[in-house]
Amino acid sequence: MSGGDMAKPLLGHRSMEGDPSITPAAGRTIGVLGSGDFARSLAIRLVCSGFKVVVGSRNPKRKAGLFPSAAEVTFQAEAVKKTDVIFVAIFREHYSTLCDLADVLAGKILVDVSNNTEINHNKESNAEYLASLFPACTVVKGFNVVSAWTLQSGARDGNKQVLICSNNQEAKRSVAEIAQAMGFTPVDMGCMSSACEIENIPLRLLPAWKIPIFLALGLFLCFFTYNLVRQVIHPYIREQKNKFYKIPVEVVNTTLPCVAYVMLSLVYLPGVLAACSQLYYGTKYRRFPDWLDQWLQHRKQIGLLSFFCAALHAVYSLCLPMRRSHRYQLIETAVKQAVEKKMNIWVEEEVWRMEIYISVGIIALGLLSLLAITSLPSIANSLNWREFSFIQSTLGFIALVISTLHTLTYGWSRAFDENQYKFYLPPTYTLTLLVPCTVILAKVVFNLPCIQQRLRRIRRGWEKGRYVKFVLPSATGEYSSGETSSNV
Ligand code: NAP
């Protein structure tokens, strides 16, 4: 899994936490316009953080009971007069109803917390629209990525980052101070033109997961169809045996490990391709093709989906003996054995194969769990770069090798058994081995001293055929300059 991906904060912008220019803000009076869910949660959090809160409502009498007693609930104009920083906790379509307050609002900081219902719904962001309605105010976009629930329960129970942007540095700092005093981590997203991006963030549905999910579904569908043909359709057509009962558990359970195993190898394949590209071009400064870039960025999600499928496979496998079909088969075998008067059906090789197969599978699942846990931002942040890279890269590769052993002990000699080729289709496990074995082989080759050394040099900035300037003293004592290739 990608080290960079998980080591960096949720958003690649400057965190304002620990900024010496941010001073404690608690004790100030903060205004809130609106008395809905967000305004209420905001008021509770502000009061708990030591601020004085004044809420501006169109109907203060009716709404006062909803707020903590420490917060003052009054008419909008009254509230605005009492403070310099005002959170506008109302929807964009109602902003124009505040125009009557333009005079009292002049010179104040307005914090736009609003969200849209669709991505890029309006031409200009809500914050820019608010700024256009109140040119005498300074507008700061912020707090929209935090839900009313997170506000109420405190920063510890939700996402701690509060994204802030504004064209006015002073106003931005002021709002950052408030966010920090409330226990959030303010993140500077730059000037007001970022407001649109900030407003789109809560509306995105798992943007980093789309490709990995489609990949997992695609693989699942392919392997499921393949297994269905081999385990159900083939016996039905060739021997008129009804094995359709196998579809919900057995076929799914033979499909899941295939997906988990191939997905795990797909976490490491782009790294191999990237290394091949660097070796071929002799530089690390050449851009990878877009598809490889995308692939590298999605390794964490691909790895987590691999773990998910592996965990499901483990649960399915544990439940196999619970099935009625399994019990019938056991009794059938016992009766057959009694009829044939067979006393001993113990096959030593089979026993050993199964013991090793299960043990190796458990170890592989354990390692995958470790990889999944350490990819969580809170855990990843507590590891240094070396620890993180050891777990994700070295242990991850070991997990791939152990999963390969698990697959091989499962398959054993089936690949060489003619009866296993249903409709001339080889056993599924032989197909799953293709990509992982390629990755393992490539990793072994990259670890050969001559190749490893070249890769290391490239990754430290060395380039094939790069010309460097040199300066030599001539016989007359003068200096002459020229160029030479750095790889000579
Ligand atoms: P809400 O419960 O519907 O409250 C909206 C408030 O706006 C009303 O209580 C009302 O208070 C006030 N308002 C002022 N002028 C109004 C008018 N002309 N018509 C109707 N209401 C008017 O909404 P909310 O969930 O608190 O959301 C408020 C803002 O916060 C929205 O922009 C939303 O996008 C943003 N936000 C909400 C959440 C969340 O989790 N809820 C999260 C992030 C951002 P008075 O009647 O007292 O004037």
Side-chain angles (χ1 to χ4, degrees):
M1 284 181 221
S2 135
D5 246 16
M6 285 157 275
K8 66 187 181 200
L10 228 71
L11 284 147
H13 289 263
R14 196 167 69 90
S15 166
M16 298 167 89
E17 200 174 40
D19 187 338
S21 61
I22 296 181
T23 50
R28 288 168 64 182
T29 302
I30 308 291
V32 180
L33 284 180
S35 61
D37 296 334
F38 196 80
R40 205 162 45 245
S41 304
L42 190 62
I44 293 172
R45 184 68 14 226
L46 283 167
V47 166
C48 290
S49 309
F51 291 97
K52 290 187 191 110
V53 178
V54 52
V55 178
S57 168
R58 291 169 305 164
N59 195 343
K61 263 195 188 157
R62 220 179 96 203
K63 303 291 174 72
L66 302 171
F67 286 83
S69 54
E72 181 187 347
V73 184
T74 178
F75 287 102
Q76 290 176 333
E78 283 304 308
V80 169
K81 277 181 203 157
K82 293 186 175 174
T83 171
D84 288 335
V85 181
I86 299 139
F87 283 81
V88 184
I90 67 176
F91 287 102
R92 174 194 171 118
E93 47 273 34
H94 303 139
Y95 284 176
S96 54
T97 63
L98 300 177
C99 284
D100 295 344
L101 305 172
D103 288 342
V104 264
L105 281 172
K108 314 230 161 167
I109 296 173
L110 299 184
V111 186
D112 181 292
V113 301
S114 65
N115 280 321
N116 289 316
T117 43
E118 281 170 45
I119 288 184
N120 296 329
H121 186 56
N122 301 296
K123 262 195 201 148
E124 61 185 347
S125 65
N126 297 348
E128 284 166 316
Y129 172 61
L130 186 68
S132 72
L133 289 179
F134 301 97
C137 299
T138 308
V139 174
V140 177
K141 180 83 210 177
F143 283 86
N144 64 307
V145 293
V146 182
S147 69
W149 162 252
T150 305
L151 272 175
Q152 234 181 74
S153 55
R156 67 186 179 282
D157 268 3
N159 177 14
K160 282 186 78 175
Q161 288 185 348
V162 165
L163 314 180
I164 294 170
C165 77
S166 173
N167 288 337
N168 185 307
Q169 286 299 329
E170 266 308 306
K172 199 158 55 176
R173 190 169 308 121
S174 190
V175 176
E177 284 165 9
I178 296 169
Q180 208 167 54
M182 290 164 79
F184 291 100
T185 308
V187 178
D188 186 351
M189 296 287 287
C191 57
M192 194 49 103
S193 52
S194 306
C196 202
E197 187 192 341
I198 301 180
E199 284 170 15
N200 284 338
I201 287 171
L203 298 174
R204 290 202 198 120
L205 183 67
L206 306 173
W209 286 85
K210 258 183 210 150
I211 296 176
I213 286 175
F214 279 122
L215 182 69
L217 285 178
L219 280 172
F220 186 89
L221 213 67
C222 291
F223 281 119
F224 183 84
T225 314
Y226 194 85
N227 289 328
L228 185 77
V229 170
R230 282 178 48 82
Q231 295 177 14
V232 179
I233 310 286
H234 182 269
Y236 185 72
I237 293 180
R238 285 288 157 88
E239 301 157 40
Q240 281 73 52
K241 279 188 182 163
N242 183 346
K243 304 261 179 173
F244 285 90
Y245 73 90
K246 286 188 172 182
I247 294 175
V249 180
E250 253 179 77
V251 179
V252 172
N253 193 34
T254 39
T255 303
L256 283 170
C258 300
V259 180
Y261 182 40
V262 173
M263 293 279 282
L264 183 62
S265 67
L266 292 181
V267 172
Y268 295 96
L269 185 59
V272 167
L273 295 177
C276 287
S277 155
Q278 288 176 339
L279 282 170
Y280 181 75
Y281 292 109
T283 176
K284 70 165 185 176
Y285 299 110
R286 195 189 156 93
R287 263 208 63 168
F288 296 132
D290 280 349
W291 59 267
L292 186 55
D293 248 355
Q294 286 273 330
W295 193 351
L296 285 162
Q297 281 168 28
H298 286 106
R299 284 180 295 176
K300 172 179 165 176
Q301 288 78 11
I302 297 175
L304 285 172
L305 284 174
S306 160
F307 166 68
F308 175 68
C309 292
L312 281 184
H313 168 53
V315 177
Y316 267 93
S317 302
L318 284 175
C319 295
L320 285 179
M322 286 182 198
R323 296 168 309 146
R324 197 152 284 276
S325 58
H326 178 79
R327 288 184 217 165
Y328 287 149
Q329 276 165 356
L330 269 186
I331 296 168
E332 216 176 85
T333 318
V335 170
K336 248 189 210 168
Q337 204 183 317
V339 169
E340 289 170 12
K341 294 199 170 101
K342 268 191 196 167
M343 290 306 285
N344 190 4
I345 55 155
W346 184 278
V347 183
E348 190 73 13
E349 184 191 296
E350 279 295 299
V351 170
W352 272 100
R353 179 176 79 85
M354 212 53 192
E355 302 288 313
I356 297 171
Y357 165 69
I358 292 173
S359 170
V360 169
I362 293 170
I363 296 172
L365 185 65
L367 285 175
L368 280 184
S369 320
L370 192 68
L371 295 182
I373 291 167
T374 49
S375 73
L376 298 174
S378 54
I379 309 279
N381 289 343
S382 68
L383 301 171
N384 67 27
W385 177 83
R386 194 150 178 223
E387 290 161 345
F388 185 82
S389 127
F390 171 74
I391 294 172
Q392 295 294 328
S393 183
T394 313
L395 287 188
F397 180 66
I398 292 173
L400 183 67
V401 174
I402 293 178
S403 306
T404 305
L405 292 178
H406 180 63
T407 311
L408 286 172
T409 45
Y410 168 80
W412 211 245
S413 55
R414 285 182 211 190
F416 310 105
D417 180 356
E418 229 177 78
N419 296 328
Q420 292 293 328
Y421 286 72
K422 317 273 163 130
F423 292 136
Y424 302 104
L425 299 173
T428 323
Y429 85 96
T430 55
L431 300 185
T432 62
L433 284 167
L434 283 176
V435 186
C437 286
T438 310
V439 173
I440 293 171
L441 202 71
K443 287 263 187 191
V444 171
V445 172
F446 291 155
N447 274 312
L448 295 176
C450 53
I451 298 189
Q452 193 186 44
Q453 202 183 5
R454 193 178 163 90
L455 252 180
R456 264 198 202 144
R457 283 172 68 196
I458 290 172
R459 286 174 181 170
R460 292 188 72 86
W462 176 87
E463 283 185 281
K464 181 172 83 177
R466 191 189 62 183
Y467 286 88
V468 292
K469 278 225 176 244
F470 66 88
V471 182
L472 281 178
S474 69
T476 58
E478 287 169 358
Y479 285 83
S480 65
S481 67
E483 284 182 333
T484 183
S485 167
S486 68
N487 64 339
V488 186

